[in-house]
Amino acid sequence: MHEKTLAEQSRLLASGEISSSELTNHYLERIERLDGDLNSLITVTGAAAKKAATAADEKRKAGDDSPLLGIPIVQKDIFCTKDVLTTCGSRMLENFVAPYDATVVSKLDTAGMVNLGKANMDEFAMGSSNENSYFGPVANPWNRKCVPGGSSGGSAALVAARLAPAATGTDTGGSIRQPAAFCGLTGIKPTYGRVSRYGMIAFASSLDQGGPLAHTAEDCAMLLQAMAGEDERDSTSSHEPVPDFSSSLQQPLTGLKIGVPEEYFSAGLDDAVASCVQSSLAEMEKLGATLKSVSLPNQSLCIPAYYVVAPAEASSNLSRFDGVRFGHRCENAQDIEDLYKRSRDEGFGSEVKRRIMIGTYALSAGYYDAYYLKAQKVRRLISDDFANAFADVDLVAGPTTPTPAFETGAKSDDPVSMYLNDLYTVSANLSGLPALSMPCGMVDGLPVGLQLLGNYFDEVRVLNAAYQFQQATDWHTLAPNGIE
Ligand code: GLN
C-alpha cells in the first residue's frame, strides 16, 4: 500500500478496495519497524490515529466521499496540536501541550485526514540539515550517512521512507523545498498568505508559510486544497479566493514561458546538479514550454538579506519563551533576572542562540539603519527583480539547492557554509512568491531537486507544470533502497 501515492490511495479508498483502518495500521507498523534509526518522528499518536481511521471508515460508509478522508499524514512538530505534545524541536517546549489546534491541523482534520504523529525538525525551524533538533538528528533514507535537509527534515525523511504518504512542513527560507530536494519528494511553499499561520509556532513571521510534502504534484494539489484559505485568526492570511488546484493539472504546457535566471548557473552550483536541471528544462521544452533567459541582478544579495531579516524577526518572536509566559523554567532561580537568563540558556540550543544574538544586534538602536533597514530595502529590490522577470515569463525555474544532500556533520561547524544551502530558496520567501521543488535527477545515489517559482497566487500554474513533468518522467517514483 505504501508504494502508492496519496492520490492513488484516495482512489482505492473511494472504490472500497482498502479501508482507512488498514492503511493506518500499515503505516503505524512501518513507523514502529523502520523509524528507529531514521528518527523522523518525535511523537507517534497510534491510539488516536486508529480511532480516527475507524471514524473515517464509518463516514465513508455513510456516503462521505471527501478525497482526503481516511488518508494518514504526519504534522511537523511546529504546528500546535490539541492534547498532543508540540515541541518545535526544542528543549524549551519539551513538555508543551497546546490547548488548541493550528488552523492547518484543524483543516486537515476536517478534511478527514488521520494524524499519525509529529515530525522531527530543526529547533524552531532554524537549520538546513535537521542537526539542530533537541531530539537528535534525522537520517536521510537515501543514504543514512547524509542529512535529510531542514528544517522540515523529519517530514521529508518519513515520506521518503514511506512511513506516511504525506507530511506538513513550513518554509521560512526553504524548509519545505530543500528537504524535498534532498529526499526525492515534491513540496510546495505557497504564496505568503495562502495558508494560515495561526497555531504555527513563529520563526520569522513575514517569511513563514506552511505547505505539504508528498510524492507528486497531484498529491500536493489535493493537500494544498485542504490547507489553503483565509483565516480570521491570521490577519496576514489572504482574501484571495482559493482556486481548484487540481482542475488544471491536465493542461498541456504548450505556450508556457519558463524563465531561466542566468545568475542561478554560476559559482557555487555543483556541475552534476546543474546538468540534471538542464536536462529537465530540456524535457519541459519537449513538453511544449519555451525557455527564456532572465536576469535576477540582486540574486547575490538574497542570503545576506535573509540572514538579517529572519534572525531579526526570530529574536522578537522568541522573546516570549522566558520561562514565565512560555517554555522551560530553570530550577531554583535566585531572582527574576537569573530565572530569565538560565531558563533561556538551558532551553535554547546553540543555533537558536546565534540567531537571537544576530537579530538583536541588527535591531539595536545603533545598527538598525545599517542592517535591518538596509536588508528591508534589498528585499524590495529582490521582489522587483521577480516582478520584472514575470513581466516576460509565466514561471521561473532552476535548481532547488546547490548540491545534493551532504554528510551529517560536514557543515555543522561552519554556519556560513550551512547558510549557503539556501542560495536558491530564500528569494521566494523574501518576495512572498509560491515555489515548488520536485525530483529531477540522481547524483551518486542521491536525489536532485528542480525548483519552479510562480507569480503571486499562481500555484495552479506551478502545480500544472510539475504534474506535466511528472507524467513524462519517473524521478518522483524512485524509492530509496530497502524501502520498497
Ligand atoms: N535554512 C533556513 C534557515 O535556517 C531556512 C529555514 C526554514 O525555512 N525554516 O533559516
Side-chain angles (χ1 to χ4, degrees):
M1 277 186 267
H2 58 270
E3 66 288 350
K4 303 264 187 273
T5 67
L6 177 144
E8 288 163 350
Q9 292 177 358
S10 170
R11 292 189 274 272
L12 291 173
L13 284 163
S15 66
E17 281 162 83
I18 55 170
S19 70
S20 173
S21 293
E22 282 170 311
L23 198 56
T24 301
N25 289 336
H26 179 74
Y27 280 118
L28 287 172
E29 185 279 322
R30 285 181 68 79
I31 291 173
E32 171 88 39
R33 184 160 51 85
L34 300 168
D35 195 40
D37 56 341
L38 284 178
N39 196 28
S40 65
L41 284 115
I42 293 174
T43 303
V44 180
T45 49
K50 287 181 187 189
K51 247 174 90 182
T54 309
D57 285 331
E58 274 162 18
K59 275 194 188 163
R60 197 171 283 280
K61 270 197 208 112
D64 189 340
D65 61 353
S66 316
L68 296 173
L69 180 64
I71 299 182
I73 190 161
V74 174
Q75 300 287 354
K76 183 176 181 179
D77 211 13
I78 197 168
F79 288 102
C80 287
T81 40
K82 190 173 182 333
D83 302 334
V84 175
L85 203 61
T86 298
T87 69
C88 219
S90 182
R91 183 180 182 200
M92 188 54 98
L93 293 176
E94 193 180 5
N95 302 310
F96 176 61
V97 177
Y100 64 95
D101 279 331
T103 296
V104 161
V105 172
S106 60
K107 276 179 172 271
L108 292 174
D109 203 44
T110 307
M113 294 200 86
V114 173
N115 189 17
L116 302 179
K118 307 290 293 286
N120 202 344
M121 56 179 283
D122 279 306
E123 184 176 8
F124 286 102
M126 297 173 191
S128 308
S129 67
N130 219 116
E131 292 167 287
N132 299 336
S133 169
Y134 175 64
F135 299 89
V138 175
N140 187 322
W142 291 88
N143 177 344
R144 283 158 203 253
K145 288 200 191 105
C146 291
V147 303
S151 65
S152 312
S155 301
L158 74 90
V159 178
R162 274 71 174 168
L163 305 186
T168 53
T170 60
D171 192 310
T172 302
S175 282
I176 289 176
R177 293 161 286 153
Q178 187 253 15
F182 279 12
C183 291
L185 304 178
T186 306
I188 183 166
K189 178 200 89 74
T191 309
Y192 183 80
R194 182 64 102 182
V195 170
S196 167
R197 292 184 297 108
Y198 178 75
M200 192 175 110
I201 295 172
F203 164 8
S205 310
S206 77
L207 306 165
D208 297 343
Q209 189 59 195
L213 288 116
H215 291 292
T216 64
E218 185 184 23
D219 295 356
C220 286
M222 291 170 70
L223 290 159
L224 187 57
Q225 201 70 49
M227 293 167 82
E230 188 180 2
D231 180 6
E232 61 177 19
R233 294 183 170 124
D234 171 7
S235 61
T236 63
S237 76
S238 168
H239 311 305
E240 198 68 27
V242 178
D244 182 343
F245 294 113
S246 303
S247 68
S248 310
L249 295 176
Q250 309 293 340
Q251 200 168 305
L253 299 190
T254 329
L256 182 80
K257 283 187 255 156
I258 301 182
V260 184
E262 298 152 16
E263 293 81 3
Y264 283 6
F265 296 87
S266 56
L269 179 62
D270 180 278
D271 288 343
V273 171
S275 89
C276 293
V277 170
Q278 296 291 10
S279 358
S280 26
L281 292 173
E283 181 67 41
M284 291 284 197
E285 230 175 348
K286 266 204 255 158
L287 293 171
T290 318
L291 302 181
K292 191 168 184 269
S293 175
V294 293
S295 178
L296 301 172
N298 295 293
Q299 162 64 18
S300 65
L301 301 178
C302 289
I303 292 279
Y306 173 83
Y307 278 98
V308 171
V309 173
E313 293 188 17
S315 71
S316 161
N317 274 324
L318 270 56
S319 67
R320 74 190 63 160
F321 302 106
D322 57 7
V324 178
R325 288 173 297 170
F326 287 102
H328 168 82
R329 180 180 296 183
C330 69
E331 301 276 354
N332 306 320
Q334 302 304 306
D335 52 33
I336 186 73
E337 196 170 322
D338 182 45
L339 179 126
Y340 285 150
K341 276 190 181 156
R342 278 201 293 124
S343 297
R344 285 169 71 82
D345 184 32
E346 292 166 10
F348 290 136
S350 57
E351 181 61 26
V352 174
K353 286 177 185 159
R354 180 175 7 251
R355 306 277 180 119
I356 292 173
M357 285 193 285
I358 295 172
T360 307
Y361 180 81
L363 290 176
S364 61
Y367 295 99
Y368 181 92
D369 289 358
Y371 294 106
Y372 186 71
L373 203 63
K374 187 63 143 263
Q376 291 289 35
K377 290 179 179 169
V378 170
R379 188 173 180 182
R380 170 51 65 94
L381 295 177
I382 291 164
S383 302
D384 289 349
D385 284 355
F386 280 105
N388 289 334
F390 282 118
D392 289 336
V393 297
D394 304 307
L395 295 177
V396 167
T400 307
T401 58
T403 65
F406 47 87
E407 286 195 12
T408 305
K411 301 189 181 195
S412 38
D413 294 333
D414 182 355
V416 174
S417 85
M418 188 67 92
Y419 297 169
L420 285 172
N421 262 288
D422 309 332
L423 191 59
Y424 303 115
T425 47
V426 294
S427 53
N429 305 79
L430 289 166
S431 57
L433 295 166
L436 168 147
S437 179
M438 65 175 158
C440 75
M442 295 290 291
V443 172
D444 299 332
L446 290 165
V448 172
L450 174 73
Q451 181 172 223
L452 299 177
L453 295 104
N455 212 339
Y456 296 107
F457 298 103
D458 204 6
E459 290 88 359
V460 162
R461 211 186 309 239
V462 174
L463 289 162
N464 166 229
Y467 177 84
Q468 290 298 325
F469 179 82
Q470 292 181 335
Q471 294 304 105
T473 58
D474 59 8
W475 302 113
H476 62 286
T477 65
L478 305 181
N481 282 335
I483 294 302
E484 302 92 332

